[in-house]
Structure formats: structure tokens, C-alpha cells
Amino acid sequence: YHYPVALDQGPTIGCSLNSSEFSPGDLLIGYIVAHNQGPETSVDAYIAFVLPDGQIASITAGGIAIGIYPWMTNVSLPRGFDFGPSEVFRTTAPQNPGDYLFAAALAEPGSIEFIGEPSLCAFTIQVCDTSEVQPS
């Protein structure tokens, strides 16, 4: 008479990068995965960077915009949806050193009310100190 309780699994998104440490100009590749084990739903998807100074640079359909803007809007995710890992951008690492975050999140369509927790992936841009390099 005891049955396992099936928890309603809503949509989730995760992000990753090809590395966690970069030098300016290195190849920076971002990936996402998304799943929906719950009922069919529609979402807005957000992909962004949090810059060292705290600004948010969103990846949008039209390019990069400072602020919180969706990447894709009103995306229908059927039950059993399974996406990725898939490359969502390929670029060169910024010239400005510091600690950054790559973030991905899902929200209710037309709002920034996130569904679940955003996925965060920390990375660092380091400038090489050439004064320590000794010629051979």
C-alpha cells in the first residue's frame, strides 16, 4: 500500500564552459542543457554574463545587451523535453581580467520570475605576467 511519491519535476536548465580559467583572447565556449520532466509548459530562457563590476550582459536574439533580457521567449517545452549539452556561443575571452559568471535561467513567459534556480558557472580571466618568464 506504500507507493513512492512522484515529485512534479518542472523544467530545469544548466550551463557549463569549456574551462574555468582563461587568458584574454582564449576561446570561450558556453553550453546549456535543459530538461522538462513535468507537464508541458512555456518558458522564457535567459543566458547572460555577470561582469566583474556586477553588470549583467544578456545574450539576446539580436546580440549582447546590458541588462536582463531573454535569449528566447515563449518556448514550449513538452513533457520529457531533453536538450543538450549544446553549444550556445563561441567567442574570445574578454580583455578585462577578473571573476565572471556565466548564467542560464528559465522564467515564466513575459516576466523575470525564475522557475527553479538559475544555473551559474564561475570563470576567471587572468592576464599572464610576462615578467616571470625567463628566456631559455
Side-chain angles (χ1 to χ4, degrees):
Y1 68 93
H2 292 285
Y3 297 98
V5 175
L7 297 175
D8 184 33
Q9 296 289 324
T12 60
I13 191 166
C15 63
S16 62
L17 294 166
N18 58 316
S19 181
S20 61
E21 293 185 6
F22 299 90
S23 294
D26 283 353
L27 181 61
L28 176 64
I29 305 172
Y31 305 90
I32 62 166
V33 296
H35 308 284
N36 183 28
Q37 300 309 312
E40 182 171 343
T41 189
S42 290
V43 299
D44 288 350
Y46 289 81
I47 298 177
F49 294 99
V50 180
L51 308 178
D53 65 3
Q55 286 190 77
I56 296 174
S58 295
I59 297 175
T60 70
I64 295 180
I66 300 299
I68 301 173
Y69 299 99
W71 172 50
M72 299 176 75
T73 59
N74 206 26
V75 178
S76 180
L77 304 179
R79 175 184 282 282
F81 180 80
D82 194 24
F83 175 80
S86 185
E87 184 178 311
V88 291
F89 68 83
R90 177 181 291 250
T91 189
T92 55
Q95 296 297 311
N96 298 335
D99 295 323
Y100 293 75
L101 286 175
F102 169 44
L106 299 175
E108 297 289 334
S111 77
I112 55 171
E113 184 177 326
F114 293 132
I115 299 168
E117 294 293 318
S119 178
L120 302 173
C121 188
F123 67 101
T124 302
I125 306 296
Q126 300 177 340
V127 175
C128 296
D129 183 0
T130 56
S131 65
E132 296 178 13
V133 176
Q134 300 295 322
S136 48

